[in-house]
Amino acid sequence: MATLTLKNKKPAAKTRNAEGEKRAPVRGKGVSKPRPTLAQAQADRAEREERYQQAQQKRERPAPQRDERPARPKATGFRPEHPPQRGEPFRRDDRGDRPRDDRQGRPGPRAGGFNPDGPPQRAQRGEPVRRNEHRDERPADRPRDDRPPRIDQRRASNRGPDFEPPQRPQRRNNPARQVDAEDGDRLSKRMSELKLASRREADEWIAAGWVRVDGKVAVLGQRVVGDVQIDIDPAARQAQSQLVTVLLHKPIGYVSGQAEDGYEPAVVLFQQENRWKDDPSGIKPHPNHHRHLAPAGRLDIDSTGLLVLTQDGRIAKALIGDDSDIEKEYLVRVEFVGLPGGEPVPEGTLPNAALSNNKLALLNHGLSLDGEELKPAKVSWQNEHQLRFVLREGKKRQIRRMCELVGLKVVGLKRVRIGRIPLGNLPVGQWRYLAPWERF
């Protein structure tokens, strides 16, 4: 029979010594403390009871005996010679032989005190001045006020016929902040007309002290007349150069501006993970690029294409200003539905064949929206189902409303160019920076 030998086997720990008693615990491990016997428990209890009784005796103080208490001192106050009898009022100021006045129950003036019937006395040098001597006057001796009772004129019922409300002080205006039209234009507006900055940027520069008019530091709200020399501090130009413009390919389902009806704004897509990998600008992202980033133009929630988000007020004014003439190009997929009361169109007719040349001419020029005649546009067929629009204005849902006037229904709209900046190969939902050498 073979015998197996286990190597590296640790011997079992000994928990009892040679006499059979349990050994002491090692490193905090072991058996619990043995329970005391009945005799030990009774001895401990008796000892605790004795200590408690001793502590109680120390806390208790023996009450002093009645004979040991000190005698209470007798009061040595004023005692009248004739104490008041039963039924007679008690007089507090009954001080012996002090003189009394004619009033019953009231003492006369004190020696050296204030006497209302005597001549006025002035305190001598070194004597304390009595501030409250008027309190010794009797109510009957005080002068009465013959003025009528006070009337609260804040109530309309208490106002007389000649009542005039108090005039409030006029506000003092700064001469440089007068807003009269005859005094000229606001400085921020003049700077915007000269394309130095947007009106918001101009106000920020003026508040920062970066603008001088004829050599003097401008103030916020200042007006200028005629031809003045406007100097801009280089710090303002440096701050303006750090503003960025973002080109975004907006997907369908995002609104251009503020969130509405549960739809998110397109600016939420401006995140690092959505940046186009082929961005040629070379601009490094910065947290300040999210500040004051606003859309320069609208794009409907059902439309897609190029959307401009910018911090630069000059670019925003150039794109959506009243005098803006930058072209916007769109590709529009349409269907011909006809006009109400018109002749029916055979099924399967292509939109380019159903739309007459006269209607196409109206799309180029001759339509009006909201009572205003539209600017001339460039509208042509891109293919059988798609039109190409080039506009120089941007009214609300302009292309869709123009198509409805000629019997067309828009089923798809995409903006592919703004000025000289094309959408290019920018993927849907991604963005890139406007490069420093690019201009709209």
Side-chain angles (χ1 to χ4, degrees):
M1 174 183 273
T3 304
L4 297 178
T5 305
L6 299 177
K7 297 181 179 180
N8 298 331
K9 183 179 180 182
K10 296 182 180 180
K14 296 181 180 181
T15 59
R16 296 181 179 273
N17 54 14
E19 299 177 358
E21 298 178 354
K22 290 185 178 181
R23 56 177 293 185
V26 179
R27 295 184 181 177
K29 297 181 180 180
V31 297
S32 59
K33 184 178 180 180
R35 298 177 60 182
T37 61
L38 178 60
Q40 293 177 351
Q42 292 178 350
D44 294 342
R45 182 176 180 180
E47 184 179 355
R48 290 196 300 270
E49 183 68 23
E50 184 180 357
R51 289 200 300 265
Y52 175 76
Q53 294 296 338
Q54 293 177 359
Q56 290 295 331
Q57 292 179 2
K58 291 182 179 180
R59 293 179 182 178
E60 294 179 357
R61 295 181 180 179
Q65 301 297 331
R66 189 171 186 84
D67 299 340
E68 298 177 359
R69 292 181 181 177
R72 181 178 297 178
K74 296 182 179 181
T76 57
F78 167 75
R79 289 182 177 275
E81 297 180 359
H82 304 285
Q85 302 299 325
R86 181 175 296 180
E88 182 182 356
F90 176 74
R91 299 176 180 175
R92 289 185 174 273
D93 294 330
D94 198 357
R95 303 292 179 90
D97 299 335
R98 286 178 51 187
R100 295 178 178 274
D101 56 4
D102 298 336
R103 294 180 181 86
Q104 183 179 2
R106 183 175 180 86
R110 301 176 183 176
F114 174 75
N115 187 2
D117 299 331
Q121 299 180 1
R122 180 174 297 180
Q124 301 297 328
R125 181 174 296 180
E127 295 182 359
V129 179
R130 294 189 175 183
R131 301 289 183 185
N132 299 326
E133 290 182 352
H134 63 279
R135 296 184 179 179
D136 294 335
E137 297 180 4
R138 295 184 297 274
D141 297 337
R142 295 179 184 175
R144 294 186 177 183
D145 194 356
D146 297 334
R147 292 178 297 180
R150 183 177 179 181
I151 298 177
D152 188 2
Q153 294 185 352
R154 290 176 296 182
R155 298 184 179 181
S157 59
N158 295 334
R159 297 177 181 176
D162 301 333
F163 174 77
E164 295 183 1
Q167 298 294 332
R168 294 185 177 182
Q170 298 294 332
R171 183 179 179 181
R172 301 177 62 185
N173 297 324
N174 190 335
R177 300 188 182 185
Q178 297 296 332
V179 293
D180 296 336
E182 57 190 18
D183 292 343
D185 299 330
R186 291 177 66 94
L187 177 58
S188 58
K189 181 180 179 181
R190 178 70 63 85
M191 293 174 62
S192 177
E193 293 174 351
L194 297 177
K195 297 183 179 181
L196 299 176
S198 66
R199 299 189 68 170
R200 187 189 68 183
E201 289 176 342
D203 288 336
E204 293 178 356
W205 293 358
I206 294 172
W210 290 344
V211 181
R212 289 179 176 268
V213 178
D214 292 336
K216 297 181 180 179
V217 179
V219 296
L220 195 62
Q222 181 174 343
R223 289 183 173 269
V224 293
V225 182
D227 295 334
V228 294
Q229 182 179 357
I230 302 175
D231 299 325
I232 308 299
D233 193 276
R237 297 298 185 187
Q238 184 179 3
Q240 192 179 54
S241 63
Q242 295 176 356
L243 302 177
V244 297
T245 299
V246 176
L247 307 177
L248 173 68
H249 191 164
K250 187 189 86 66
I252 296 176
Y254 288 85
V255 295
S256 302
Q258 299 294 331
E260 56 183 26
D261 300 334
Y263 295 99
E264 292 183 316
V267 72
V268 300
L269 298 174
F270 181 50
Q271 303 294 336
Q272 180 61 27
E273 58 269 17
N274 297 330
R275 185 178 183 180
W276 187 30
K277 63 179 180 179
D278 297 331
D279 185 358
S281 64
I283 300 176
K284 296 182 179 180
H286 193 274
N288 289 339
H289 294 169
H290 291 264
R291 297 178 64 251
H292 306 301
L293 192 66
R298 292 188 298 263
L299 200 57
D300 297 337
I301 188 173
D302 299 327
S303 305
T304 183
L306 182 60
L307 180 65
V308 178
L309 307 173
T310 183
Q311 295 177 323
D312 197 338
R314 297 172 302 171
I315 294 179
K317 187 176 185 301
L319 296 181
I320 60 177
D322 295 335
D323 56 347
S324 174
D325 58 351
I326 295 181
E327 293 182 348
K328 289 93 174 177
E329 182 178 348
Y330 302 85
L331 296 180
V332 185
R333 184 172 294 275
V334 295
E335 292 179 355
F336 188 80
V337 295
L339 294 174
E343 297 181 359
V345 180
E347 186 177 357
T349 304
L350 296 177
N352 63 336
L355 188 69
S356 64
N357 292 334
N358 293 334
K359 300 294 184 183
L360 183 62
L362 284 177
L363 289 177
N364 282 272
H365 185 55
L367 298 178
S368 300
L369 294 178
D370 302 328
E372 296 182 3
E373 185 177 354
L374 298 177
K375 294 180 180 180
K378 299 177 183 178
V379 184
S380 59
W381 286 104
Q382 192 76 4
N383 53 47
E384 294 86 352
H385 299 274
Q386 201 171 56
L387 285 169
R388 173 179 171 268
F389 277 74
V390 178
L391 305 179
R392 290 181 179 271
E393 59 183 342
K395 293 184 177 295
K396 185 176 182 180
R397 302 179 69 88
Q398 177 176 343
I399 295 178
R400 299 177 186 273
R401 296 163 66 187
M402 289 173 63
C403 291
E404 291 175 357
L405 293 177
V406 297
L408 296 177
K409 178 183 178 182
V410 176
V411 296
L413 190 149
K414 182 179 181 180
R415 184 156 61 194
V416 296
R417 177 175 64 88
I418 298 179
R420 290 175 286 185
I421 305 299
L423 180 62
N425 298 325
L426 184 62
V428 179
Q430 297 189 14
W431 59 271
R432 72 176 181 90
Y433 286 112
L434 181 70
W437 58 85
E438 292 181 311
R439 296 290 183 274
F440 287 98

